[in-house]
Amino acid sequence: MSKARDVTDTLARALVDKPDEVEVAEYDEDGCIGIYVKSAVGDLGKLIGRRGRTASAIRTLADITAEQSGEEATVDFEDGQPDQ
């Protein structure tokens, strides 16, 4: 687990209404750390923010954290789906 993933996880849980339902996964994508954030239904808007500013800030912080280890990071967001 990378520090970039930890930073993203901490930020995502702090921003949403249902922090226990946030799932953060990490994967390697051509030498770049890929971070996947899934939130509870209705919490995606809090992670994206107005005009994407919050998402952009999260991505920037994750990338800066990854750079300290000589890596790059990308962050993708997805809204949870209701159980059927």
Side-chain angles (χ1 to χ4, degrees):
M1 219 176 341
S2 68
K3 288 183 182 180
R5 185 216 176 271
D6 292 339
V7 166
T8 303
D9 184 59
T10 302
L11 290 170
R13 290 179 190 278
L15 292 170
V16 299
D17 290 333
K18 299 175 185 172
D20 293 337
E21 294 186 35
V22 171
E23 296 175 26
V24 180
E26 180 179 333
Y27 56 92
D28 184 34
E29 184 178 277
D30 297 327
C32 180
I33 299 170
I35 301 169
Y36 176 79
V37 181
K38 186 174 181 180
S39 63
V41 174
D43 275 344
L44 183 62
K46 290 178 174 48
L47 293 174
I48 302 297
R50 198 170 274 176
R51 294 191 179 184
R53 290 181 182 155
T54 304
S56 179
I58 292 170
R59 287 180 176 124
T60 299
L61 290 170
D63 197 38
I64 288 170
T65 305
E67 275 184 23
Q68 293 175 347
S69 302
E71 301 172 314
E72 290 182 32
T74 60
V75 181
D76 295 313
F77 300 93
E78 183 177 307
D79 200 12
Q81 298 297 320
D83 294 333
Q84 295 182 2

